[in-house]
Amino acid sequence: GAGVSQTPSNKVTEKGKYVELRCDPISGHTALYWYRQSLGQGPEFLIYFQGTGAADDSGLPNDRFFAVRPEGSVSTLKIQRTERGDSAVYLCASSPQAGTYEQYFGPGTRLTVT
Amino acid sequence: AQSVTQLDSQVPVFEEAPVELRCNYSSSVSVYLFWYVQYPNQGLQLLLKYLSGSTLVKGINGFEAEFNKSQTSFHLRKPSVHISDTAEYFCAVTPDNYGQNFVFGPGTRLSVLP
């Protein structure tokens, strides 16, 4: 079946602009996660959704970052007033339910802020 | 808070030789442990996980890992590697209290040489 998809695959934006990154989880998966991976580093947790609600957003670095999952399926990560330090690969993962501890990762969106 | 250390950033090994990728963690609470693999140009894939029970965990592609609570380690091993095992390997932990805030290590690049 279809895996986790993320769009766009690449995004180049200018400093100060607003960007939206989209994640389509595996159908039926109730848990959804966003991570950020900088070059040479492991994924860094940003936020976790169970259904429509953000159950843990402790990893969001500041209030420029926001994520939604209005219908419990597709999620959008929104970054306002982008900074060069936001450049990274943004990864999305989904899980059948949180207690399985089995995350299925998408290919990521590479964000470059110039 | 948790942290994960992968002391070896790169591990070169010849084909059919054994390999061990080291992972140590720090946590004030009990954790669940995971190994993920990232093949070139692909998303992260779960190799194996330790939630409870036997401390020796077997995963996909012939990999296994052993949880050692006293040494706070979860080293990954394979008795005979193949060229196709060339990839980046990430160790990760999360609190065992249904937390979903996964902490990943920086990764180890395994290069299998012919």
Side-chain angles (χ1 to χ4, degrees):
Chain A
V4 177
S5 63
Q6 293 185 245
T7 54
S9 57
N10 280 283
K11 176 70 177 179
V12 181
T13 191
E14 293 180 348
K15 179 176 176 294
K17 298 291 187 182
Y18 168 84
V19 296
E20 290 189 351
L21 311 179
R22 177 187 168 105
C23 172
D24 282 84
I26 293 172
S27 178
H29 282 196
T30 60
L32 185 145
Y33 310 77
W34 282 101
Y35 294 87
R36 177 170 67 176
Q37 187 174 20
S38 300
L39 194 62
Q41 301 296 319
E44 173 193 7
F45 171 84
L46 296 177
I47 188 169
Y48 151 64
F49 287 90
Q50 181 57 46
T52 60
D56 184 350
D57 64 357
S58 61
L60 294 177
N62 51 60
D63 61 6
R64 295 187 298 105
F65 288 74
F66 190 71
V68 296
R69 194 186 186 198
E71 298 179 356
S73 177
V74 171
S75 177
T76 305
L77 178 65
K78 308 180 181 193
I79 311 175
Q80 298 177 324
R81 305 183 302 281
T82 52
E83 300 177 357
R84 293 194 179 87
D86 298 335
S87 296
V89 176
Y90 288 81
L91 301 173
C92 176
S94 70
S95 180
Q97 56 186 36
T100 62
Y101 294 96
E102 292 187 5
Q103 297 182 68
Y104 296 81
F105 281 81
T109 292
R110 182 176 299 278
L111 175 66
T112 303
V113 182
T114 62
Chain B
Q2 294 76 45
S3 67
V4 177
T5 302
Q6 293 181 249
L7 288 175
D8 305 306
S9 60
Q10 297 187 58
V11 173
V13 63
F14 287 106
E15 193 173 18
E16 298 184 4
V19 70
E20 178 179 85
L21 306 183
R22 295 182 291 168
C23 171
N24 288 86
Y25 69 92
S26 173
S27 177
S28 57
V29 300
S30 296
V31 296
Y32 294 146
L33 300 116
F34 309 82
W35 276 98
Y36 281 84
V37 59
Q38 187 172 31
Y39 297 106
N41 301 315
Q42 295 187 30
L44 280 83
Q45 178 182 359
L46 180 66
L47 264 182
L48 48 78
K49 61 182 177 181
Y50 173 79
L51 304 184
S52 64
S54 171
T55 57
L56 182 63
V57 181
K58 293 190 183 299
I60 62 172
N61 301 339
F63 284 92
E64 64 180 31
E66 185 156 22
F67 170 49
N68 188 319
K69 189 173 183 178
S70 63
Q71 297 187 6
T72 60
S73 68
F74 191 53
H75 300 332
L76 182 70
R77 303 185 184 99
K78 185 168 183 178
S80 176
V81 294
H82 302 125
I83 296 286
S84 59
D85 292 323
T86 294
E88 189 89 19
Y89 291 80
F90 295 94
C91 181
V93 302
T94 194
D96 70 354
N97 58 357
Y98 296 100
Q100 297 294 309
N101 186 333
F102 288 79
V103 176
F104 283 77
T108 296
R109 177 165 296 280
L110 174 64
S111 298
V112 181
L113 310 171

